[in-house]
Structure formats: C-alpha cells, structure tokens
Amino acid sequence: MTPLRPTASLLVQLLTLTSLTLVTAWAMSTALLFLLPPPAPDFYRTSEIERTYRGSPPTFTERQPLMRIVQDKPPAPLLEGPTIPSIRAKIAEDLGVPITDIVLAGERGPLSDRRVGRIIRDRAARAGMSSEEHFLINPFQVGVRQPDGRWAVVRTEPKFGLNDWQQRVALWFALSALLMTPVAWMFARRLSKPIQVFAQAAERLGRDPKAPPLELRGPAEISMAARAFNEMQQRLQRYVEDRTAMVGAIAHDLRTPLTRLRFRIESLPEEQRAKYASDLDQMEEMIAATLAFVRDATKTGERTPLELSSLVESLCDEMAETGAKTEVEQGEKVVLEGDPMALRRLVANLLENAVKFGGQARARVFQDAGHAVVEIDDDGPGIPPADSERVFEPFYRREPSRNRQTGGIGLGLAVVRTIARGHGGDVHLTNRSGGGLRARVELPL
C-alpha cells in the first residue's frame, strides 16, 4: 500500500479559506473607498423649484424629476444653514407670498467627502450657474402654505431601484465575486476530493470485500480515517475467512466418521442397512455442498467485463436442450465488471429453482437506475411473505425432506445472495400478482 502523505488539516485549510475571504473583502472595501468617486447628490435651482410649483416642471436628463404634491401638514424636518434664510426669501419674493409661508425641509448631513463639494461646484459651473445663484441639494422639500391652510410641496420624485452609486458598488462587488469564484472552487475541490475518494473506497469495499486497501492523500483527519478504514477492512476479512475456514474444516473432518459408519452398517440386516445408507448419503451430500459453498466463498475469481444478457441466454439454451422449460426475452445488452464463473452459478441456481418449483423459467435482463437487473419468473405457488428472507439462510428449506427430487440441501439461494452481495448488489424474491414467483437480482454497473 502506498503510504499516506497527509497535508494540512481540515481546520487549517478552512481557516486559510476564511482568512483569504476576509482579506479579499477588506481589499475590496479599501479599493472601493479610494478608487471609486463618492456619490454626488443632485442639486436644483430655485427657479426650477418655482416652475414646478407653478405647474410646469422642467425636464432633466441626468437628474430625478421634480413633482408637486399637496398635503395637510408642512414638511419636516426643517433645513438649517447660513444660506437657508436667503433661499426662503428668494422663493417667497419670486412666488409673491410671505416668507412665513415658505418652509425648507430635508435630511442633510455633512458631505461624505471634500471631493463631493468639488463635484457639485463643477457640475453647477457646467450648468451655467453663477456663484450668486441659489440652489438646493437633494433630498429636500419646499413647502408653500396655500390660502386654505394646506401645503403645496415640491420635491424630487421617488426613484425605484438602485441609483448610480449603488449600481457602481453592486457592479464592483459582482466583479470581485467573479474573481473569487475560481479560488473558492479550487479550495472546495481540494477539501471535497479526499472525502469523495473515501466514499468511493467504501462503495468499492461493498462490491468487493477483498478490494485493495484505501490509498488516500489529504488532510490529517482524512488520513486517520483512511488508516482506520483499512484496519477495519482487514479485520472483517480475517473474521470472515476464519469463520468460513472453520465451517469448511468441520465439514471436511466429518467425512472420516461417516466413512467409518459405512463400514459398520455392513453387518446390519439389509432393511436397516438401506435406511442407514440413505441417511449417510444425505449427510455426505450436505457435507459436499457445504465444502463447495465454503470453497466458492473463499475463492474470488478475477473480475472482467461481462455481457450479462449473453450469459443468461446461453444458460437458458443449455437447460432447454436437457428438456427444461426456459426462455429469455430479447433485450438490451448489459455489460458489467464481474466474476464470470460466480455470476454463471448465480443465474443457474435461480433458473434451476424456477424450473424445479415453478415448472418453467422466463428470464429478462435490463438496466435500471445504474444497475444491471436480472429477473426470472416462474409459475409456481410462490412463497409466504414471512419466508422471503429466510429462504436465503444456509440450509433453510421450506420443504423439509432432503430428497434430490423435491429439493436440495438449502444452499442454492444462500450462494445466490452471497455472489450478488459480493458484487455490491442484492437479490429479492417477490410473489407476482398473476401467480408465481419473481427473483430479481440487481448488480451495480
């Protein structure tokens, strides 16, 4: 096994990713502060405000339009500043109303940057405004008391969506996120790859208990889990091999006392000798079947690409030549990695059971959800649902006799399930609605 070479732990890698993200966010904020120009609010001449009050608002291309509304209360909060009294007086004079009927309101804080003041002055100069002309900076509300006591208020129309500054900030963050995406993807792949390989190794162990040990390079935590996984796999293999070898040894050692019993019954009368001989034959048959089961369980064949449909068709043809009623439906070609001899025995056992207990066998092969599926139907009586799992236990037979014509030893279905699970799949028996039994084998592709 290739030695594992651990890299930095998951904790260190996650801290690195978090730190990198924070540094990137700090860099973006710094660049946003120093590189992008500050937002410059819109400004409006008093003449433009007065035109809007009179019902003929001017048209703007870059600024929000002005609107006139009537409300019961004066606008608030009041604006304060050295130029506010002169602006009120100018508007009152132009509109011909007392200065007490003019209210200037709005929420204004200090300009965010000195550059904003310069930008406003430059824009005012480009608009042809003189240094003595009055203007208000948005947001503002100019209220004029009406004869009925209500207030006509001039203000900018509310804008839906993002303003220019917000759009620039959003674009800046979108570009920054786009630049960070490859970095995040590489870190995510680096963190997830060892876990993905670990999961694949666990799945491979389910398909092949004798799969090679896990070879994994990754964080220290994953390396520790890999070593524990390999040790667990070795312990499981030793446990299964020890139990299987014990059963094989017991079955093998029973041959000797059975041979002695055969010599001893030779002195018995003919009638008794025949009965004892029949029992001994059944015991030897059980021992031979057990040894074959142990041999097949401990000896794993080489996995090669196998066309499953052809295997099932050839077995059905061979059994049909001996007089068995077997048929196979023509279907798609299904190729998988498997032990040809083991899979051949799996299918043969199911076909023989279908013919023996159901009179005939109808087989089909197809793909379903990433699995190769073999289904074999018969026309027999089926089995009780309570026995659908017990029939896979070694030496369990629903028919109690050990007669070759009425049943076998009880290892056929146990072998089938052992082979199926050794390939990472499984087998199930279900009663068909129209009568008969269906054996369904699912093997991963």
PDB file of all heavy atoms in Angstrom, residues 404-420:
ATOM      1  N   ARG A 404     -33.513 -35.416  -3.398  1.00  0.00           N
ATOM      2  CA  ARG A 404     -32.992 -34.704  -4.559  1.00  0.00           C
ATOM      3  C   ARG A 404     -34.104 -34.251  -5.485  1.00  0.00           C
ATOM      4  O   ARG A 404     -33.982 -33.227  -6.157  1.00  0.00           O
ATOM      5  CB  ARG A 404     -32.036 -35.611  -5.347  1.00  0.00           C
ATOM      6  CG  ARG A 404     -30.686 -35.808  -4.696  1.00  0.00           C
ATOM      7  CD  ARG A 404     -29.829 -36.704  -5.555  1.00  0.00           C
ATOM      8  NE  ARG A 404     -28.492 -36.855  -5.012  1.00  0.00           N
ATOM      9  CZ  ARG A 404     -27.483 -36.057  -5.325  1.00  0.00           C
ATOM     10  NH1 ARG A 404     -27.664 -35.050  -6.156  1.00  0.00           N
ATOM     11  NH2 ARG A 404     -26.288 -36.252  -4.802  1.00  0.00           N
ATOM     12  N   GLN A 405     -35.201 -35.040  -5.550  1.00  0.00           N
ATOM     13  CA  GLN A 405     -36.273 -34.692  -6.472  1.00  0.00           C
ATOM     14  C   GLN A 405     -37.152 -33.564  -5.936  1.00  0.00           C
ATOM     15  O   GLN A 405     -37.759 -32.833  -6.711  1.00  0.00           O
ATOM     16  CB  GLN A 405     -37.152 -35.918  -6.771  1.00  0.00           C
ATOM     17  CG  GLN A 405     -36.530 -36.891  -7.762  1.00  0.00           C
ATOM     18  CD  GLN A 405     -35.310 -37.599  -7.205  1.00  0.00           C
ATOM     19  OE1 GLN A 405     -35.273 -37.960  -6.024  1.00  0.00           O
ATOM     20  NE2 GLN A 405     -34.313 -37.804  -8.064  1.00  0.00           N
ATOM     21  N   THR A 406     -37.276 -33.431  -4.641  1.00  0.00           N
ATOM     22  CA  THR A 406     -38.154 -32.401  -4.076  1.00  0.00           C
ATOM     23  C   THR A 406     -37.407 -31.182  -3.581  1.00  0.00           C
ATOM     24  O   THR A 406     -38.003 -30.181  -3.212  1.00  0.00           O
ATOM     25  CB  THR A 406     -38.967 -32.981  -2.903  1.00  0.00           C
ATOM     26  OG1 THR A 406     -38.062 -33.456  -1.902  1.00  0.00           O
ATOM     27  CG2 THR A 406     -39.849 -34.114  -3.379  1.00  0.00           C
ATOM     28  N   GLY A 407     -36.112 -31.234  -3.543  1.00  0.00           N
ATOM     29  CA  GLY A 407     -35.347 -30.087  -3.088  1.00  0.00           C
ATOM     30  C   GLY A 407     -33.899 -30.441  -2.934  1.00  0.00           C
ATOM     31  O   GLY A 407     -33.481 -31.582  -3.117  1.00  0.00           O
ATOM     32  N   GLY A 408     -33.114 -29.470  -2.615  1.00  0.00           N
ATOM     33  CA  GLY A 408     -31.682 -29.678  -2.460  1.00  0.00           C
ATOM     34  C   GLY A 408     -31.281 -29.612  -1.015  1.00  0.00           C
ATOM     35  O   GLY A 408     -32.029 -29.978  -0.118  1.00  0.00           O
ATOM     36  N   ILE A 409     -30.088 -29.107  -0.794  1.00  0.00           N
ATOM     37  CA  ILE A 409     -29.546 -29.035   0.559  1.00  0.00           C
ATOM     38  C   ILE A 409     -30.011 -27.770   1.268  1.00  0.00           C
ATOM     39  O   ILE A 409     -30.071 -27.712   2.480  1.00  0.00           O
ATOM     40  CB  ILE A 409     -28.013 -29.092   0.499  1.00  0.00           C
ATOM     41  CG1 ILE A 409     -27.574 -30.378  -0.204  1.00  0.00           C
ATOM     42  CG2 ILE A 409     -27.396 -29.051   1.882  1.00  0.00           C
ATOM     43  CD1 ILE A 409     -28.104 -31.632   0.452  1.00  0.00           C
ATOM     44  N   GLY A 410     -30.341 -26.730   0.498  1.00  0.00           N
ATOM     45  CA  GLY A 410     -30.733 -25.455   1.096  1.00  0.00           C
ATOM     46  C   GLY A 410     -29.655 -24.411   1.019  1.00  0.00           C
ATOM     47  O   GLY A 410     -29.672 -23.441   1.788  1.00  0.00           O
ATOM     48  N   LEU A 411     -28.700 -24.612   0.112  1.00  0.00           N
ATOM     49  CA  LEU A 411     -27.618 -23.640  -0.044  1.00  0.00           C
ATOM     50  C   LEU A 411     -27.711 -22.867  -1.349  1.00  0.00           C
ATOM     51  O   LEU A 411     -26.929 -21.942  -1.562  1.00  0.00           O
ATOM     52  CB  LEU A 411     -26.249 -24.348   0.012  1.00  0.00           C
ATOM     53  CG  LEU A 411     -25.819 -24.857   1.384  1.00  0.00           C
ATOM     54  CD1 LEU A 411     -24.521 -25.640   1.265  1.00  0.00           C
ATOM     55  CD2 LEU A 411     -25.654 -23.705   2.358  1.00  0.00           C
ATOM     56  N   GLY A 412     -28.622 -23.241  -2.221  1.00  0.00           N
ATOM     57  CA  GLY A 412     -28.685 -22.597  -3.534  1.00  0.00           C
ATOM     58  C   GLY A 412     -28.919 -21.097  -3.454  1.00  0.00           C
ATOM     59  O   GLY A 412     -28.175 -20.303  -4.040  1.00  0.00           O
ATOM     60  N   LEU A 413     -29.944 -20.695  -2.712  1.00  0.00           N
ATOM     61  CA  LEU A 413     -30.244 -19.267  -2.607  1.00  0.00           C
ATOM     62  C   LEU A 413     -29.223 -18.547  -1.733  1.00  0.00           C
ATOM     63  O   LEU A 413     -28.963 -17.360  -1.927  1.00  0.00           O
ATOM     64  CB  LEU A 413     -31.656 -19.069  -2.053  1.00  0.00           C
ATOM     65  CG  LEU A 413     -32.798 -19.451  -3.001  1.00  0.00           C
ATOM     66  CD1 LEU A 413     -34.149 -19.244  -2.325  1.00  0.00           C
ATOM     67  CD2 LEU A 413     -32.722 -18.631  -4.284  1.00  0.00           C
ATOM     68  N   ALA A 414     -28.652 -19.242  -0.765  1.00  0.00           N
ATOM     69  CA  ALA A 414     -27.582 -18.616   0.028  1.00  0.00           C
ATOM     70  C   ALA A 414     -26.392 -18.286  -0.857  1.00  0.00           C
ATOM     71  O   ALA A 414     -25.769 -17.221  -0.719  1.00  0.00           O
ATOM     72  CB  ALA A 414     -27.170 -19.552   1.163  1.00  0.00           C
ATOM     73  N   VAL A 415     -26.061 -19.185  -1.772  1.00  0.00           N
ATOM     74  CA  VAL A 415     -24.979 -18.920  -2.713  1.00  0.00           C
ATOM     75  C   VAL A 415     -25.329 -17.735  -3.602  1.00  0.00           C
ATOM     76  O   VAL A 415     -24.490 -16.862  -3.884  1.00  0.00           O
ATOM     77  CB  VAL A 415     -24.689 -20.178  -3.556  1.00  0.00           C
ATOM     78  CG1 VAL A 415     -23.733 -19.859  -4.695  1.00  0.00           C
ATOM     79  CG2 VAL A 415     -24.119 -21.284  -2.684  1.00  0.00           C
ATOM     80  N   VAL A 416     -26.584 -17.683  -4.067  1.00  0.00           N
ATOM     81  CA  VAL A 416     -27.022 -16.592  -4.935  1.00  0.00           C
ATOM     82  C   VAL A 416     -26.840 -15.242  -4.238  1.00  0.00           C
ATOM     83  O   VAL A 416     -26.282 -14.292  -4.811  1.00  0.00           O
ATOM     84  CB  VAL A 416     -28.494 -16.795  -5.350  1.00  0.00           C
ATOM     85  CG1 VAL A 416     -29.050 -15.529  -6.008  1.00  0.00           C
ATOM     86  CG2 VAL A 416     -28.606 -17.976  -6.303  1.00  0.00           C
ATOM     87  N   ARG A 417     -27.309 -15.150  -3.006  1.00  0.00           N
ATOM     88  CA  ARG A 417     -27.182 -13.864  -2.302  1.00  0.00           C
ATOM     89  C   ARG A 417     -25.724 -13.544  -1.995  1.00  0.00           C
ATOM     90  O   ARG A 417     -25.316 -12.372  -2.062  1.00  0.00           O
ATOM     91  CB  ARG A 417     -28.003 -13.899  -1.016  1.00  0.00           C
ATOM     92  CG  ARG A 417     -27.806 -12.670  -0.135  1.00  0.00           C
ATOM     93  CD  ARG A 417     -28.936 -12.441   0.810  1.00  0.00           C
ATOM     94  NE  ARG A 417     -30.091 -11.836   0.149  1.00  0.00           N
ATOM     95  CZ  ARG A 417     -31.195 -11.445   0.794  1.00  0.00           C
ATOM     96  NH1 ARG A 417     -31.292 -11.608   2.101  1.00  0.00           N
ATOM     97  NH2 ARG A 417     -32.195 -10.901   0.126  1.00  0.00           N
ATOM     98  N   THR A 418     -24.917 -14.541  -1.644  1.00  0.00           N
ATOM     99  CA  THR A 418     -23.500 -14.286  -1.377  1.00  0.00           C
ATOM    100  C   THR A 418     -22.809 -13.719  -2.610  1.00  0.00           C
ATOM    101  O   THR A 418     -22.039 -12.756  -2.523  1.00  0.00           O
ATOM    102  CB  THR A 418     -22.807 -15.580  -0.930  1.00  0.00           C
ATOM    103  OG1 THR A 418     -23.426 -16.051   0.280  1.00  0.00           O
ATOM    104  CG2 THR A 418     -21.327 -15.341  -0.682  1.00  0.00           C
ATOM    105  N   ILE A 419     -23.083 -14.298  -3.765  1.00  0.00           N
ATOM    106  CA  ILE A 419     -22.465 -13.815  -5.004  1.00  0.00           C
ATOM    107  C   ILE A 419     -22.956 -12.414  -5.337  1.00  0.00           C
ATOM    108  O   ILE A 419     -22.172 -11.531  -5.713  1.00  0.00           O
ATOM    109  CB  ILE A 419     -22.753 -14.792  -6.153  1.00  0.00           C
ATOM    110  CG1 ILE A 419     -22.084 -16.149  -5.885  1.00  0.00           C
ATOM    111  CG2 ILE A 419     -22.265 -14.212  -7.484  1.00  0.00           C
ATOM    112  CD1 ILE A 419     -22.456 -17.215  -6.884  1.00  0.00           C
ATOM    113  N   ALA A 420     -24.271 -12.191  -5.205  1.00  0.00           N
ATOM    114  CA  ALA A 420     -24.825 -10.873  -5.542  1.00  0.00           C
ATOM    115  C   ALA A 420     -24.244  -9.795  -4.637  1.00  0.00           C
ATOM    116  O   ALA A 420     -23.825  -8.728  -5.112  1.00  0.00           O
ATOM    117  CB  ALA A 420     -26.353 -10.904  -5.431  1.00  0.00           C
TER     118      ALA A 420
END
